[in-house]
């Protein structure tokens, strides 16, 4: 200071500037702490707490808004009648019950959600029995008296499922899937029957005659992002990686590798996996995959409380 | 007895291959590095674009999703930093797919290993710099509980679960897509078997062309393909 020059201020960035300029090193600086804590304040394996509101759309048969942190997804289910006589190529008698919903296309989602639709079919979530509108034909003279009454399916309920993301802060798939489940759980279908005189389906307007869908065991999706420092320019042994549960928007942008596990109950425990997806990198090995599935199974218990309570 | 592969069927593309496995056939073309559109340009690495055309009809949400999965695997196989601000484009035309009576997710998983193998061979044919070799395999747990490698369409109909996995030559898991009903122990068993199969596909050969480690029914088909390709490339030198 003797010659009168001011001391140069060190190059100091604010937290936000650091995150914006170099998101990768910013996240790495957080994760390299002895007790790794993510920039959003969560620990590595902490998911965001879900909140669910059902029945907020009054014109649909069922609806739900699911919020996971700053991600919010709204889902509406609308039921329409598909007459069996309108099906151009009726599936043969030997089509299994499980395949029927998919073959007839009774679930119609909007284009946002191919993975959601595919998962709905894989998990056989909806029982086709719930969607049938049946009619017991009166006995005629030709019938043998031993035969029971003849039941024919006159129509099906087709469910139009619309998923809309109203706020996005990472992990839309888990939120969308939960919204679909919650909306289907809240769906009430009116009592419908075949009127032989008018030859059409009639629906009862009475609220107390409606019935819901049977969703016994509910699959839950859990997504993980993997942050890895490995690159083609480094030795393979130098790479470090961290698994982040339920990534937010910032983490999703930095991480390329993701794991999604969909688990469901298998009788008593949560053993069964319906879908397991992993792509985008090489950091996850068999052991890490096992840890992800275990976390997904814990998350399943958490979701059951929210879905059944709400 | 590996898949049926023919190299360079397309003369306009940098690299191309037709790949036929038991279930599906794919015509793959790779171009790159080529000029990239402004909106896809990345300052530090090459952009990867995968286009999938289905057997019939136009591509829709399903193909968009398959494209994103294949692109994610190719990104960890390519040396992207060598060609910044360019594009590596892979186009996959499906010419034969498992029948449409199968469940949607089963069809998707059944396609993925072939899509990965076809696009990898197309990239290798196009001479693009690659970080590692990748092989993908399809495994099905059939109704009796047995695990079948490269199952037939009949076995897919009643299968309990279906698994598409890809491993590179270091034994890293690059892709795992599983659908159906299974538990973790079962998946781990399948991952072990898939790793063994993928390693066997690229197992090194000794001088007489005999496999040095591991043997499977299909043999080191990937290693064989790449060796043949390398030999064809230097054939002119031996001829002179």
């Amino acid at each position: 200071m003797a010659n009168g020059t001011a001391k140069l201020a060190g190059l100091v960035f604010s937290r936000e500037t650091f995150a914006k300029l170099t998101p990768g090193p910013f996240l790495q600086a957080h994760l390299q702490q002895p007790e790794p804590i993510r920039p959003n304040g969560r620990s590595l394996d902490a998911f965001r707490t879900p909140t669910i509101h059902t029945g907020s759309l009054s014109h649909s048969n069922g609806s739900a808004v699911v919020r996971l942190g700053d991600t919010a997804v709204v889902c509406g289910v609308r039921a329409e009648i598909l007459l069996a006589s309108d099906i151009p190529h009726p599936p043969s008698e030997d089509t299994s019950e499980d395949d029927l919903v998919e073959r007839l296309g009774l679930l119609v989602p909007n284009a946002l959600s191919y993975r959601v639709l595919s998962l709905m079919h894989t998990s056989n979530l909806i029982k086709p029995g719930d969607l049938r509108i049946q009619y017991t034909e009166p006995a005629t003279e030709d019938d043998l008296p031993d035969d029971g009454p003849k039941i024919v399916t006159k129509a099906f309920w087709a469910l139009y499922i619309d998923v809309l993301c109203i706020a996005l802060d990472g992990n839309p798939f888990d939120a969308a899937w939960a919204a679909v489940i919650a909306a289907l759980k809240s769906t009430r279908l009116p009592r419908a029957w075949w009127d032989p005189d008018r030859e059409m389906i009639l629906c009862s307007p009475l609220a107390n005659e409606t019935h819901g869908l049977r969703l016994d065991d509910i699959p839950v999706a859990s997504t993980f992002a993997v942050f890895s420092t490995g690159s083609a320019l480094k030795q393979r042994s130098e790479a470090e990686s961290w698994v982040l549960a339920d990534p937010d928007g910032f983490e999703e942008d930095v991480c390329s590798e993701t794991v999604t596990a969909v688990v469901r109950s298998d009788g008593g425990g949560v053993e069964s996996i319906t879908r397991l997806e992993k792509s985008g990198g090489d950091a996850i090995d068999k052991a890490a995959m096992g840890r992800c599935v275990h976390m997904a199974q814990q998350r399943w218990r958490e979701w059951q409380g929210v879905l059944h309570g709400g | 007895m590996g898949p049926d592969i023919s190299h360079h069927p397309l003369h306009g593309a940098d690299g191309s291959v037709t790949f036929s496995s038991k279930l599906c056939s794919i015509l793959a073309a790779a171009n790159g590095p080529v000029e990239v559109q402004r909106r896809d340009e990345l300052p530090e690495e090459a952009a990867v674009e995968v286009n999938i055309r289905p057997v019939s009809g136009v591509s829709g949400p399903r193909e968009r999703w398959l494209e994103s999965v294949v692109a994610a695997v190719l990104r960890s196989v390519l040396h992207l930093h060598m060609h910044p601000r360019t594009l590596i484009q892979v186009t996959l035309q499906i010419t034969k797919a498992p029948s449409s009576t199968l469940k949607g997710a089963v069809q998707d998983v059944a396609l993925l290993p072939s899509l990965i193998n076809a696009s990898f061979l197309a990239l290798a044919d196009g001479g693009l710099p690659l970080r590692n070799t990748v092989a993908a395999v399809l495994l099905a747990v059939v109704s009796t509980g047995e695990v079948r490698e490269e199952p037939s369409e009949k076995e897919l109909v009643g299968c309990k679960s279906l698994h598409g996995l890809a491993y590179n030559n270091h034994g890293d898991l690059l892709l795992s897509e599983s659908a159906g009903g299974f538990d973790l122990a079962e998946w781990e068993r399948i991952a072990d078997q898939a790793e063994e199969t993928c390693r066997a596909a690229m197992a090194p050969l000794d001088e007489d062309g005999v496999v040095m480690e591991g043997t499977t029914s299909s043999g080191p088909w990937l290693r064989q393909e790449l060796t043949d390709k390398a030999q064809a490339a230097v054939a002119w030198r031996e001829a002179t």
Side-chain angles (χ1 to χ4, degrees):
Chain A
M1 306 306 145
N3 54 10
T5 52
K7 194 182 168 195
L8 278 173
L11 194 58
V12 176
F13 292 132
S14 72
R15 200 180 120 87
E16 288 73 27
T17 317
F18 185 15
K20 199 141 227 170
L21 279 177
T22 51
F26 176 72
L27 184 56
Q28 194 184 347
H30 277 82
L31 299 175
Q32 271 175 337
Q33 304 295 318
E35 290 268 311
I37 193 98
R38 289 147 70 175
N40 49 31
R42 285 188 274 154
S43 63
L44 292 182
D45 53 359
F47 289 85
R48 293 174 285 188
T49 318
T51 49
I52 298 180
H53 290 279
T54 51
S56 41
L57 305 179
S58 55
H59 287 278
S60 60
N61 293 69
S63 67
V65 182
V66 167
R67 203 169 244 292
L68 270 180
D70 285 337
T71 299
V73 173
V74 58
C75 174
V77 177
R78 201 162 163 73
E80 287 187 17
I81 289 168
L82 169 72
L83 285 174
S85 55
D86 287 347
I87 299 170
H89 302 289
S92 56
E93 290 291 316
D94 56 320
T95 306
S96 77
E97 279 283 285
D98 290 344
D99 285 348
L100 199 67
V101 174
E102 180 168 358
R103 290 291 297 283
L104 293 176
L106 295 181
L107 302 175
V108 191
N110 56 4
L112 171 92
S113 46
Y114 175 73
R115 279 173 78 200
V116 172
L117 175 69
S118 159
L119 184 53
M120 261 193 283
H121 288 145
T122 321
S123 57
N124 295 326
L125 190 64
I126 308 256
K127 313 263 178 304
D130 288 347
L131 301 177
R132 281 178 203 275
I133 299 170
Q134 286 177 326
Y135 170 63
T136 311
E137 284 185 346
T140 56
E141 288 158 15
D142 303 341
D143 286 349
L144 295 168
D146 297 346
D147 286 353
K150 204 171 153 202
I151 297 174
V152 286
T153 302
K154 282 293 185 187
F156 293 94
W157 285 110
L159 301 179
Y160 288 77
I161 301 171
D162 281 298
V163 184
L164 185 73
C165 204
I166 46 180
L168 180 59
D169 184 25
N171 205 355
F173 180 70
D174 290 8
W177 177 247
V180 168
I181 296 278
L184 286 172
K185 256 181 88 74
S186 74
T187 298
R188 306 295 300 174
L189 299 176
R191 187 172 79 84
W193 68 94
W194 173 256
D195 188 299
D197 300 329
R198 276 184 273 191
E199 294 207 323
M200 62 193 290
I201 302 274
L202 298 180
C203 289
S204 154
L206 298 173
N208 60 1
E209 284 191 345
T210 58
H211 70 275
L213 299 165
R214 281 171 297 153
L215 308 172
D216 331 312
D217 71 273
I218 292 169
V220 168
S222 310
T223 299
F224 306 86
V226 184
F227 178 71
S228 170
T229 55
S231 88
L233 303 172
K234 278 193 209 161
Q235 288 291 324
R236 277 166 44 80
S237 54
E238 282 174 22
E240 280 183 283
S241 64
W242 294 267
V243 177
L244 314 173
D246 191 12
D248 67 11
F250 170 76
E251 289 160 350
E252 244 175 18
D253 287 344
V254 188
C255 304
S256 61
E257 189 168 359
T258 56
V259 175
T260 300
V262 181
V263 295
R264 69 195 307 177
S265 75
D266 184 17
V270 274
E271 282 301 305
S272 177
I273 309 172
T274 303
R275 198 95 167 79
L276 191 59
E277 301 176 60
K278 174 232 124 92
S279 65
D282 54 14
I284 287 271
D285 54 6
K286 216 174 64 182
M289 198 76 148
R291 283 197 296 278
C292 287
V293 171
H294 283 302
M295 279 194 267
Q297 285 169 343
Q298 271 161 20
R299 179 70 164 167
W300 182 87
R301 292 191 188 89
E302 205 178 313
W303 268 109
Q304 297 305 305
V306 181
L307 284 166
H308 290 297
Chain B
M1 251 300 288
D4 199 10
I5 298 161
S6 81
H7 275 286
H8 223 73
L10 308 174
H11 295 287
D14 290 341
S16 60
V17 75
T18 50
F19 180 93
S20 311
S21 62
K22 233 185 219 176
L23 287 168
C24 41
S25 303
I26 286 148
L27 171 62
N31 284 300
V34 292
E35 195 176 348
V36 62
Q37 275 189 13
R38 247 335 235 297
R39 78 175 173 179
D40 301 326
E41 185 177 304
L42 300 171
E44 287 178 2
E45 56 180 34
V48 176
E49 184 186 285
V50 177
N51 296 305
I52 295 180
R53 301 270 169 264
V55 178
S56 59
V58 292
S59 52
R62 169 172 182 254
E63 281 71 28
R64 290 288 100 73
W65 174 73
L66 286 171
E67 283 165 9
S68 71
V69 175
V70 175
V73 174
L74 296 186
R75 264 186 220 110
S76 45
V77 171
L78 283 157
H79 265 304
L80 293 176
H81 66 277
M82 289 180 74
H83 307 287
R85 302 179 57 208
T86 58
L87 176 74
I88 293 166
Q89 188 187 43
V90 175
T91 308
L92 300 161
Q93 168 72 57
I94 302 166
T95 48
K96 189 186 107 199
S99 106
S100 55
T101 52
L102 293 165
K103 269 186 170 302
V106 169
Q107 282 182 53
D108 299 345
V109 176
L111 263 178
L112 271 168
S114 298
L115 291 174
I116 303 277
N117 282 331
S119 43
F120 172 75
L121 286 165
L123 290 175
D125 187 52
L128 281 145
L130 301 170
R131 282 164 72 176
N132 43 44
T133 311
V134 63
V137 67
L138 180 70
L139 294 171
V141 180
V142 293
S143 46
T144 54
E146 280 174 77
V147 180
R148 287 283 155 77
E149 224 168 83
E150 300 299 326
S152 65
E153 202 162 317
K154 227 184 216 166
E155 288 167 329
L156 284 187
V157 174
C159 72
K160 282 184 182 159
S161 60
L162 193 61
H163 310 262
L165 295 103
Y167 280 88
N168 68 11
N169 52 332
H170 304 294
D172 295 329
L173 178 61
L174 291 189
L175 169 87
S176 165
E177 286 283 338
S178 307
F182 53 99
D183 58 17
L184 187 59
E186 194 166 11
W187 182 83
E188 283 176 345
R189 226 174 50 235
I190 280 164
D192 285 337
Q193 189 176 342
E195 185 176 353
E196 201 179 303
T197 311
C198 290
R199 274 179 178 278
M202 40 195 162
L205 304 170
D206 65 11
E207 279 171 7
D208 305 325
V210 181
V211 192
M212 298 215 303
E213 53 186 72
T215 44
T216 51
S217 55
S218 53
W221 60 269
L222 186 59
R223 164 81 59 167
Q224 195 69 55
E225 275 314 309
L226 297 175
T227 312
D228 291 352
K229 167 117 190 56
Q231 273 166 0
V234 295
W236 62 273
R237 196 186 294 163
E238 274 148 28
T240 52

